């Protein structure tokens, strides 16, 4: 009888003790070891891919293709334009020797704008990202006197955007756009079509020289503000995950 009562008292005390410890944190030595750094996401490649997809979709939905198609290229190139009084006069001089009266009716039209696959690189210290934005357009040089395009060119140009994690005065951390520039040497111009009787090579060389001077900064000035706008509108969960990685310098962009 005494033994039975003792067992009842013992189990009663045990149940009371267990109830008191319910809800208390489990001691660290009873769990898996905790990392000093935040845990990596299940798929770093997935996180990087989510960022490039979000940026790509944001650029397209934000009107990137329309921005490229409406670049004020002719306004800058024509006589009286924004660069040294216009650079088109020198170009026209090479063509008017073959087709008199061509001045003031030449036209350069942007067609077929494209956003190609974005590239993503993380800095060696892990605190910054560099997004490569490859763009493609076609340029058509027209004149009604000929009844067809003088030249048709394919143009490719990369914009490189730096992404940083910055802490504001309220101790909140955001993704912000750092440098946004055209990648030096990335401009590629190739001839798709040229009208036979004209001095195509001389015309092409002159136009290429002009485009090398004006096109990179023109594209940069019109595209980078959109990149900043897209970056500020990214999904908050995605931003939080990327900020967490950048602040701690954790590599999540896999080099291939």
């Amino acid at each position: 009888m005494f033994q039975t009562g003792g067992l009842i008292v013992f189990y009663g005390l045990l149940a009371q003790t267990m109830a008191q410890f319910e809800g208390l944190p489990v001691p660290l030595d009873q769990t898996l070891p905790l990392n000093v750094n935040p845990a990596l996401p299940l798929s770093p490649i997935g996180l990087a891919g989510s960022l490039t997809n979000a940026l790509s979709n944001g650029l397209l939905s934000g009107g990137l293709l329309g921005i490229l198609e409406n670049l004020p290229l002719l306004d800058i190139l024509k006589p009286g334009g924004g660069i040294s009084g216009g650079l088109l006069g020198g170009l026209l001089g090479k063509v008017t020797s073959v087709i008199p009266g061509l001045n003031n009716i030449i036209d350069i039209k942007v067609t077929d704008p494209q956003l190609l696959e974005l590239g993503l690189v993380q800095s060696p210290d892990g605190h910054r990202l560099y997004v490569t934005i490859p763009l493609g357009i076609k340029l058509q040089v027209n004149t009604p006197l000929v009844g067809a395009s003088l030249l048709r060119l394919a143009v490719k140009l990369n914009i490189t955007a730096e992404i940083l994690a910055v802490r504001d005065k309220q101790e909140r951390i955001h993704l912000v756009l750092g440098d946004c520039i055209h990648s030096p040497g990335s401009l590629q111009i190739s001839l798709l079509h040229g009208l036979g009787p004209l001095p195509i090579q001389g015309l092409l060389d002159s136009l290429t020289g002009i485009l090398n001077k004006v096109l990179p900064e023109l594209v940069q000035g019109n595209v980078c503000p959109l990149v900043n706008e897209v970056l500020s509108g990214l999904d908050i969960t995605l931003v939080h995950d990327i900020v967490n990685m950048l602040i701690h310098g954790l590599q999540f962009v896999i080099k291939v």
Side-chain angles (χ1 to χ4, degrees), residues 3 7 15 55 59 92 94 98 115 118 124 145 152 177 183 201 214 233 251:
Q3 292 179 348
L7 286 174
L55 290 174
L59 289 170
L92 288 174
K94 294 183 176 295
V98 178
L115 172 64
L118 271 59
L145 287 181
R152 185 169 167 81
L177 181 65
S183 305
Q201 191 59 51
V214 302
Q251 294 286 340

Side-chain angles (χ1 to χ4, degrees), residues 23-132:
L24 293 179
V26 180
L28 293 181
D29 58 2
Q30 295 184 25
T31 65
L32 294 176
L34 295 178
N35 295 325
V36 175
N37 290 326
L40 290 171
L42 293 178
S43 174
I45 297 178
L47 182 58
S50 296
L51 175 59
T52 54
N53 286 339
L55 290 174
S56 181
N57 292 335
L59 289 170
L60 291 173
S61 63
L64 172 65
L65 301 186
I67 290 174
L68 295 176
E69 197 165 18
N70 292 288
L71 287 173
L73 189 58
L74 185 60
D75 292 338
I76 292 177
L77 296 180
K78 68 185 179 181
I83 299 181
S84 300
L87 298 173
L88 198 55
L91 174 63
L92 288 174
K94 294 183 176 295
V95 185
T96 52
S97 61
V98 178
I99 305 177
L102 190 61
N103 285 297
N104 300 323
I105 59 173
I106 200 168
D107 178 50
I108 299 179
K109 185 177 181 181
V110 179
T111 63
D112 195 20
Q114 293 180 332
L115 172 64
L116 307 177
E117 184 177 356
L118 271 59
L120 184 64
V121 175
Q122 194 167 2
S123 64
D125 63 10
H127 295 300
R128 291 163 302 199
L129 297 172
Y130 297 95
V131 181
T132 301

Side-chain angles (χ1 to χ4, degrees), residues 50-256:
S50 296
L51 175 59
T52 54
N53 286 339
L55 290 174
S56 181
N57 292 335
L59 289 170
L60 291 173
S61 63
L64 172 65
L65 301 186
I67 290 174
L68 295 176
E69 197 165 18
N70 292 288
L71 287 173
L73 189 58
L74 185 60
D75 292 338
I76 292 177
L77 296 180
K78 68 185 179 181
I83 299 181
S84 300
L87 298 173
L88 198 55
L91 174 63
L92 288 174
K94 294 183 176 295
V95 185
T96 52
S97 61
V98 178
I99 305 177
L102 190 61
N103 285 297
N104 300 323
I105 59 173
I106 200 168
D107 178 50
I108 299 179
K109 185 177 181 181
V110 179
T111 63
D112 195 20
Q114 293 180 332
L115 172 64
L116 307 177
E117 184 177 356
L118 271 59
L120 184 64
V121 175
Q122 194 167 2
S123 64
D125 63 10
H127 295 300
R128 291 163 302 199
L129 297 172
Y130 297 95
V131 181
T132 301
I133 306 170
L135 306 170
I137 59 174
K138 290 183 174 62
L139 297 180
Q140 189 165 308
V141 183
N142 301 319
T143 174
L145 287 181
V146 178
S149 63
L150 298 176
L151 292 175
R152 185 169 167 81
L153 307 175
V155 179
K156 292 183 179 180
L157 175 67
N158 293 344
I159 297 294
T160 299
E162 179 187 35
I163 297 178
L164 307 167
V166 175
R167 192 185 306 272
D168 63 19
K169 294 180 180 179
Q170 288 74 37
E171 295 299 311
R172 295 174 299 188
I173 303 176
H174 307 273
L175 288 180
V176 299
L177 181 65
D179 291 334
C180 184
I181 60 173
H182 60 86
S183 305
S186 69
L187 179 62
Q188 300 178 13
I189 302 174
S190 57
L191 178 64
L192 297 177
H193 169 75
L195 198 60
L198 294 178
I200 293 301
Q201 191 59 51
L203 180 61
L204 178 61
D205 290 344
S206 297
L207 183 57
T208 300
I210 293 171
L211 293 175
N212 273 303
K213 293 179 181 179
V214 302
L215 191 57
E217 290 189 5
L218 180 62
V219 173
Q220 174 184 318
N222 282 270
V223 172
C224 287
L226 177 60
V227 177
N228 188 48
E229 180 181 331
V230 171
L231 192 61
S232 64
L234 289 178
D235 176 76
I236 188 171
T237 301
L238 177 62
V239 171
H240 176 271
D241 290 342
I242 293 173
V243 162
N244 187 51
M245 303 296 281
L246 294 180
I247 288 295
H248 293 90
L250 300 177
Q251 294 286 340
F252 67 97
V253 179
I254 307 301
K255 297 179 181 180
V256 293

Side-chain angles (χ1 to χ4, degrees), residues 2-25:
F2 171 77
Q3 292 179 348
T4 303
L7 286 174
I8 292 173
V9 172
F10 171 75
Y11 282 116
L13 291 173
L14 178 61
Q16 182 179 5
T17 302
M18 294 299 294
Q20 291 174 348
F21 277 93
E22 277 190 18
L24 293 179

